[in-house]
Amino acid sequence: MAEAVFITRQGLMVVVRTLFLLVFCLWIPTEVVARTGNTIANNSKIPSRPSVVRIGALFTLDSVIGRSAKAGILAAIEDVNNSTSVLPGVKMEFILHDTNCSGFLGTVEALQLMENDVVAAIGPQSSGIAHVISHVVNELHVPLLSFGATDPTLASLQYPYFIRTTQNDYFQMNAIAELIDYYEWREVIAIYVDDDNGRGGISALGDALAKKRAKISYKAAFPSGAPISNISELLNGVNLMESRVYVLHVNPDSGLTIFSIAKKLGMMSSGYVWIATDWLPSRLDAYEPVNPDTLNMLQGVIALRHHTPDTDLKKRFMSRLKNLKDKESTPSFNSYALYAYDSVWLVARALDAFINEGGNISFSSDSRLRETNGSMLNFASLRTFDGGPQFLQKILNMNFTGLSGQIGRRIGYWTNYSGLSIVAPEILYTKPPNTSISNQHLNGVIWPGETTTKPRGWVFPNNGKPLRIAVPNRVSYLEFVAKDKDPPGVKGYCIDVFEAALNLLPYPVPHQYILYGNGDRNPNYNALVNDVAQNKFDAAVGDVTIVTNRTRVVDFTQPFMESGLVVVVPVKEVKSSPWSFLKPFTAEMWCVTGAFFLFVGAVVWILEHRLNHEFRGPPRKQLITVFWYIFMCFNNDIAFACIVYHSILFAFVWCIANQNLGENTVSTLGRLVLIIWLFVVLIINSSYTASLTSILTVQQLSTQIAGIDSLISGTQPIGIQDGSFARRYLIDELNIAESRIVTLKNQQAYIDALMRGPEGGGVVAIVDELPYIEILMSNTQCQFRTVGQEFTKSGWGFAFQKDSPLAVDLSTAILELSENGDLQKIHDKWLSVNSCPTQVSDVDSNKLSLKSFWGLFLICGIACFLAVTAFFARVFCQYMKFIPQTEEEVADEQIEAARPRRRTSRSTSFKNIIDFVDKKEAEIKEILRHNSNKRRRSQSLDRQSDYSIP
């Protein structure tokens, strides 16, 4: 079966299927719409209509396009002359000139045609001749309607009298670009005839592919009429290249020769993709039925064909063409017969409107053409069409229904309205445009080799040369990549990852490793990447960091190792001192903790003094009791620390308060304060323990460098690895003076420079990538540590030339290695190192300050304040009830007050309050109960006296 795609003047293409061939085709719409322009107002006086008008035709008669076009033009002339609605009473004469496939002869024939005072010319089919003739018709004001010149550079701005009645290659090439993007191919090879039409079309294809992030990797041009040997040599060269997607843009008369040669070279088998422009359907349609051998040769080829909806008008016309007398020389007709037919009708309708609105068909001589300076060329016979400008506008304003080409089974359509689709364009135009990727669909395709599997579109060059892979010849950190005596000559973590990824590809990748560098020092990795970009190598495999300036010239795979720059400094062990137990807290923290120790003790004493006999007695005894009690809170907290870590905090605290201190605490408020205080003590004690443990085991920095910011602000030397990108990064991005940077050759140089320090001619710190530093710390028993955070985030990847499809396939393979665990296995094989803490800090940074605990102290203080406030509120209420209220008590108090006292009444009152507060709770309750009973008895006696009989 075959496929075809068709294009409208608005850019519509449809995919059609016939036997063993996938073809795409162009379409001139059934409704031909020309550009708008100004019309001529009707004259008040209409001149007489001419009896005869002449139109000319320019094309190659003995050609695939010419034979069909001639039949279409003759049929159109006959229909116009028989029509009673268009040009009534006017006979249209047809003058034909054969261009003979020659630019020079075509130009001569065009000049001879203009001598016949034609009002319009149909043709030419060649874009090269159209470029020349367009200058002639511009001067003579004769519209040139071309049904075959598709060169996109034939622009109406430059050639206003050139009117294209077919679609130019701009839309055809955009359809091809979208098709290539749909199948996810990124490189194509263009094979074309080196003429105006070929160059213009392929240029449009390159622009369209660039929008899809694809490209033409090679342009294989050959001259028109090239011998078979030249074409065979060209295809042999193309076959040695990587891309297997070919776009063929040639002439329909000789294009099948290319497929015949390609078949012999084995280039029509599985894995190849051939996309032909509209020349191929034109060639096949002109020789129906097609030879079965030709169809077998073209199996799997995709081509473009013009398309319009199938109508009865088209069917009747095609049936009529087949009955023409010259059918023996032209067994069938292609779509160019329709374009030529519509072109004649376009001229006829425009001419009819022109005459009806008062247009006059007249010609004038050009004085510039009379001065031939003795030349034998009769340029004076060329005359200018006086009504040419007005007639041109009529043509541009025409809108009528024409013919369309046949269609069969489809794999889909392409329009510049909605892209690739399996829905007909007529339906798409009734819906909003949608060119999103998810909306692009095509039916299945049978590719060369009779397979339905989408070709990959590229292979490794078939020239016997394996992939040239550059490998850094390192002198340090050989775990990642190093020279090896055994084949393949290199080894290391990076090599194993690359080989494992290659094994996951569905195709073999012949390759050879080439060591890069002299082996005395690490190579310059920027130079390595640039050599890949300049085609000195096909790829670079190793510990190559993915950085911005490198991604501009090469393509990287998915990172297989995370990396980033870090700062490394030496560390030293800190010996513990007799006063290490004071280091967990700052002085401020110790003072506040001690103050709250006393404050909580005082609060507990106030709350427990009236209820708990243990808090009564001489002042000295009570003070000792308070301190001992608060100390026991710490002791109990330590004793039950393990329980707290494995139980609910508040449940534990409640158990502490009720079980361990229940015998000592009596008041509810005291227990509440105790619970909160125990919670505070628990947190402080745990933090103290953790901080003390850290301080006793910490390694202290031997320098004051705390990260990259410290390095930037300093002036001391900084070490970097030889060949690393870190040099340019520190200089260009961080503005560190180049004089401060010291290049270190290997790992031993790292150790020596760090241990000597800047005072001994070494460096204050080293800036390098984390994978190297992890190896360094492991090999030196953690004598060096990183400070600060990674200040760059990147990774290692394999570098390939720009737009290499292998980079994409290997990225997928690396992701698969990561998902199935093989990447980690390779890492463990080569980089199984002893873990070291990646960060160190100074002892002072482990101290706990008040800022971390002021919230706890605030909660505890508020709780104590509320408890004491509630306590004194209760005492005040009791005291108010304790004041004597009866007259007897007042009298007794007056008698008592009359007695001489040493103290004033105010002092006596304050002393009474203090004495009241100091009383036991039980005693106060007893006194209040006694006073309450006494008042009730007194009130009872008063009521009895009121009811006594005298």
Side-chain angles (χ1 to χ4, degrees):
M1 301 299 294
E3 315 262 30
V5 177
F6 308 95
I7 305 180
T8 69
R9 286 180 67 96
Q10 294 79 22
L12 172 65
M13 304 189 80
V14 178
V15 186
V16 177
R17 191 166 192 176
T18 60
L19 184 61
F20 297 116
L21 176 67
L22 304 175
V23 191
F24 283 80
C25 297
L26 292 165
W27 169 52
I28 290 292
T30 56
E31 190 173 19
V32 178
V33 181
R35 297 172 299 173
T36 60
N38 298 327
T39 60
I40 303 175
N42 292 331
N43 295 332
S44 59
K45 181 180 179 181
I46 301 177
S48 60
R49 299 172 67 87
S51 59
V52 177
V53 293
R54 298 187 183 93
I55 66 169
L58 285 167
F59 52 86
T60 302
L61 295 180
D62 188 20
S63 66
V64 170
I65 295 176
R67 285 187 288 269
S68 293
K70 179 183 176 181
I73 292 175
L74 292 175
I77 294 293
E78 181 181 355
D79 291 345
V80 170
N81 288 332
N82 293 334
S83 174
T84 58
S85 59
V86 178
L87 292 177
V90 179
K91 181 180 180 182
M92 180 178 286
E93 291 186 353
F94 173 58
I95 301 175
L96 175 61
H97 282 254
D98 190 356
T99 59
N100 293 302
C101 289
S102 170
F104 173 73
L105 293 179
T107 304
V108 173
E109 293 291 336
L111 294 175
Q112 292 175 351
L113 177 63
M114 295 299 133
E115 293 178 342
N116 298 295
D117 291 341
V118 295
V119 296
I122 308 300
Q125 70 190 61
S126 168
S127 297
I129 298 177
H131 276 279
V132 179
I133 301 305
S134 294
H135 291 285
V136 177
V137 298
N138 283 353
E139 292 295 328
L140 301 181
H141 297 171
V142 177
L144 182 66
L145 288 79
S146 177
F147 57 83
T150 58
D151 181 7
T153 61
L154 283 166
S156 59
L157 292 177
Q158 183 179 5
Y159 307 111
Y161 282 84
F162 174 81
I163 302 171
R164 198 193 314 266
T165 57
T166 185
Q167 185 55 261
N168 73 46
D169 286 335
Y170 170 82
F171 294 103
Q172 183 174 208
M173 296 307 175
N174 272 270
I176 293 176
E178 192 137 352
L179 183 71
I180 290 170
D181 181 63
Y182 177 83
Y183 289 111
E184 299 177 344
W185 298 317
R186 287 292 170 260
E187 293 186 6
V188 303
I189 293 178
I191 304 174
Y192 61 99
V193 177
D194 193 10
D195 57 11
D196 289 335
N197 183 66
R199 289 189 296 269
I202 296 304
S203 177
L205 175 62
D207 294 340
L209 288 174
K211 297 177 183 178
K212 303 296 183 180
R213 300 190 65 184
K215 69 175 183 178
I216 300 175
S217 60
Y218 183 73
K219 295 181 180 180
F222 60 91
S224 178
I228 294 178
S229 58
N230 289 1
I231 297 177
S232 179
E233 183 180 353
L234 182 141
L235 292 181
N236 266 315
V238 164
N239 197 30
L240 296 177
M241 297 179 183
E242 183 178 276
S243 177
R244 282 293 183 265
V245 181
Y246 306 126
V247 176
L248 192 58
H249 187 48
V250 296
N251 299 325
D253 296 276
S254 58
L256 290 179
T257 303
I258 296 177
F259 284 118
S260 176
I261 298 173
K263 183 79 172 179
K264 295 178 180 178
L265 295 176
M267 299 175 66
M268 301 296 295
S269 57
S270 177
Y272 289 85
V273 178
W274 288 88
I275 301 175
T277 52
D278 62 330
W279 68 268
L280 181 55
S282 300
R283 174 66 174 79
L284 297 177
D285 291 345
Y287 289 93
E288 290 185 353
V290 183
N291 188 323
D293 293 336
T294 301
L295 288 180
N296 289 333
M297 177 181 66
L298 298 175
Q299 192 278 317
V301 175
I302 297 177
L304 281 80
R305 163 179 288 163
H306 309 92
H307 163 75
T308 55
D310 198 3
T311 63
D312 293 336
L313 179 63
K314 182 191 68 176
K315 292 178 180 178
R316 290 194 298 268
F317 177 75
M318 296 303 294
S319 176
R320 175 185 173 190
L321 289 182
K322 292 180 180 179
N323 294 326
L324 292 179
K325 295 180 180 180
D326 60 346
K327 61 182 180 180
E328 294 181 359
S329 59
T330 305
S332 187
F333 301 90
N334 55 39
S335 57
Y336 285 98
L338 307 179
Y339 307 150
Y341 181 90
D342 286 341
S343 299
V344 174
W345 269 101
L346 178 59
V347 171
R349 291 178 181 273
L351 190 58
D352 184 61
F354 172 73
I355 295 174
N356 290 338
E357 294 184 6
N360 186 22
I361 298 178
S362 61
F363 296 84
S364 302
S365 298
D366 190 342
S367 59
R368 294 174 299 176
L369 297 178
R370 294 179 182 176
E371 300 174 1
T372 59
N373 296 325
S375 172
M376 298 299 293
L377 298 176
N378 187 17
F379 288 113
S381 61
L382 300 178
R383 300 198 299 169
T384 303
F385 180 22
D386 296 331
Q390 294 79 16
F391 182 43
L392 174 65
Q393 293 302 318
K394 289 300 176 184
I395 293 176
L396 298 179
N397 289 334
M398 279 296 100
N399 187 345
F400 74 100
T401 301
L403 299 176
S404 62
Q406 69 178 33
I407 61 173
R409 291 181 58 190
R410 308 174 183 89
I411 66 168
Y413 303 85
W414 180 89
T415 68
N416 59 343
Y417 186 76
S418 293
L420 296 171
S421 175
I422 57 176
V423 180
E426 297 82 3
I427 300 176
L428 290 176
Y429 282 131
T430 64
K431 301 178 181 179
N434 186 352
T435 58
S436 63
I437 297 177
S438 60
N439 195 52
Q440 307 299 296
H441 301 288
L442 286 178
N443 292 323
V445 175
I446 302 176
W447 301 101
E450 300 185 6
T451 176
T452 58
T453 303
K454 183 194 75 173
R456 190 169 68 249
W458 65 276
V459 295
F460 288 100
N462 188 20
N463 52 13
K465 295 181 180 179
L467 206 65
R468 299 163 300 166
I469 300 177
V471 177
N473 190 7
R474 295 189 57 88
V475 297
S476 61
Y477 301 110
L478 302 182
E479 296 90 344
F480 297 107
V481 61
K483 181 180 179 180
D484 191 16
K485 296 180 180 179
D486 300 326
V490 289
K491 63 180 180 179
Y493 167 74
C494 300
I495 303 300
D496 282 6
V497 172
F498 182 72
E499 290 289 343
L502 288 182
N503 292 335
L504 294 178
L505 298 182
Y507 49 87
V509 181
H511 59 281
Q512 64 175 0
Y513 295 109
I514 303 173
L515 289 172
Y516 187 86
N518 55 20
D520 294 331
R521 55 185 301 177
N522 293 334
N524 187 303
Y525 280 63
N526 285 334
L528 170 61
V529 171
N530 288 332
D531 285 349
V532 173
Q534 295 173 9
N535 199 28
K536 295 181 180 179
F537 302 99
D538 297 308
V541 172
D543 49 340
V544 183
T545 306
I546 304 173
V547 293
T548 303
N549 63 322
R550 295 175 182 174
T551 58
R552 295 191 180 103
V553 296
V554 297
D555 282 346
F556 282 95
T557 62
Q558 173 80 14
F560 61 88
M561 167 74 84
E562 293 184 357
S563 181
L565 291 178
V566 293
V567 179
V568 185
V569 296
V571 294
K572 61 181 180 181
E573 297 290 341
V574 178
K575 297 180 180 180
S576 59
S577 68
W579 303 101
S580 296
F581 69 93
L582 295 176
K583 293 181 180 179
F585 288 162
T586 61
E588 183 184 35
M589 182 65 182
W590 280 116
C591 293
V592 173
T593 303
F596 263 80
F597 180 89
L598 299 176
F599 173 67
V600 173
V603 170
V604 172
W605 178 84
I606 292 174
L607 299 177
E608 292 291 322
H609 178 69
R610 304 184 70 194
L611 298 174
N612 196 333
H613 70 278
E614 294 184 4
F615 286 83
R616 305 186 66 84
R620 180 178 179 183
K621 176 186 175 184
Q622 295 186 41
L623 184 62
I624 294 174
T625 300
V626 168
F627 280 104
W628 176 253
Y629 186 76
I630 298 302
F631 174 77
M632 288 303 297
C633 290
F634 281 98
N635 184 50
N636 285 326
D637 180 67
I638 296 172
F640 286 89
C642 295
I643 300 177
V644 175
Y645 284 115
H646 297 85
S647 63
I648 300 175
L649 178 62
F650 288 104
F652 163 72
V653 173
W654 185 256
C655 291
I656 292 291
N658 286 277
Q659 295 180 11
N660 296 290
L661 301 177
E663 299 177 356
N664 299 327
T665 56
V666 177
S667 66
T668 302
L669 293 176
R671 291 181 176 182
L672 176 63
V673 171
L674 179 61
I675 289 174
I676 296 175
W677 176 242
L678 287 176
F679 176 75
V680 173
V681 169
L682 173 65
I683 299 300
I684 294 176
N685 179 66
S686 301
S687 302
Y688 174 88
T689 304
S691 179
L692 181 60
T693 302
S694 176
I695 289 174
L696 293 177
T697 59
V698 75
Q699 286 183 319
Q700 189 175 8
L701 300 177
S702 60
T703 68
Q704 297 301 317
I705 301 299
I708 187 61
D709 293 334
S710 303
L711 284 181
I712 295 175
S713 60
T715 59
Q716 296 171 314
I718 304 170
I720 64 166
Q721 184 180 170
D722 192 8
S724 172
F725 77 98
R727 168 180 287 275
R728 299 314 317 168
Y729 183 85
L730 295 178
I731 297 173
D732 298 338
E733 302 296 332
L734 303 183
N735 297 320
I736 294 177
E738 188 172 3
S739 59
R740 294 180 57 194
I741 299 176
V742 178
T743 300
L744 303 175
K745 183 177 180 180
N746 51 37
Q747 188 177 121
Q748 187 58 45
Y750 273 35
I751 299 173
D752 295 341
L754 284 173
M755 297 306 294
R756 291 199 310 269
E759 295 81 5
V763 296
V764 67
I766 285 178
V767 174
D768 205 350
E769 296 181 72
L770 186 58
Y772 303 122
I773 298 308
E774 289 177 343
I775 298 293
L776 172 68
M777 293 189 299
S778 176
N779 292 343
T780 57
Q781 288 77 44
C782 303
Q783 296 181 16
F784 308 101
R785 302 289 176 84
T786 60
V787 290
Q789 302 295 325
E790 292 182 60
F791 54 93
T792 64
K793 289 291 185 180
S794 60
W796 292 352
F798 305 129
F800 290 85
Q801 295 177 10
K802 270 292 185 181
D803 301 320
S804 172
L806 191 59
V808 178
D809 289 353
L810 276 178
S811 293
T812 305
I814 290 173
L815 289 176
E816 186 175 346
L817 288 176
S818 178
E819 292 172 357
N820 61 24
D822 288 344
L823 191 62
Q824 184 61 43
K825 293 177 181 178
I826 299 173
H827 181 279
D828 295 341
K829 171 186 174 182
W830 289 97
L831 308 176
S832 181
V833 297
N834 299 323
S835 60
C836 293
T838 57
Q839 297 287 334
V840 296
S841 58
D842 205 349
V843 173
D844 292 337
S845 63
N846 293 324
K847 289 188 175 183
L848 301 175
S849 64
L850 180 62
K851 184 171 73 171
S852 303
F853 299 94
W854 69 267
L856 287 174
F857 288 123
L858 178 62
I859 293 173
C860 183
I862 292 175
C864 292
F865 174 77
L866 294 177
V868 172
T869 301
F871 171 79
F872 281 110
R874 183 169 180 274
V875 170
F876 178 75
C877 292
Q878 290 178 341
Y879 181 73
M880 295 301 294
K881 295 178 181 179
F882 182 75
I883 298 176
Q885 299 294 330
T886 63
E887 294 181 358
E888 293 81 0
E889 290 174 335
V890 173
D892 294 340
E893 289 180 359
Q894 291 177 350
I895 295 173
E896 186 68 22
R899 298 175 181 177
R901 299 288 183 182
R902 295 182 180 180
R903 300 180 181 178
T904 62
S905 59
R906 182 175 180 181
S907 299
T908 302
S909 177
F910 180 75
K911 181 178 181 301
N912 291 339
I913 293 174
I914 297 300
D915 292 340
F916 178 80
V917 172
D918 189 55
K919 293 180 181 293
K920 293 184 177 181
E921 185 71 18
E923 183 180 351
I924 293 298
K925 290 182 179 179
E926 182 64 28
I927 294 174
L928 292 178
R929 187 167 53 253
H930 173 73
N931 290 342
S932 177
N933 293 335
K934 186 176 180 180
R935 281 195 297 273
R936 283 197 297 269
R937 287 195 301 271
S938 176
Q939 291 173 358
S940 177
L941 292 174
D942 290 341
R943 284 194 297 269
Q944 291 176 6
S945 62
D946 291 339
Y947 292 98
S948 63
I949 300 176

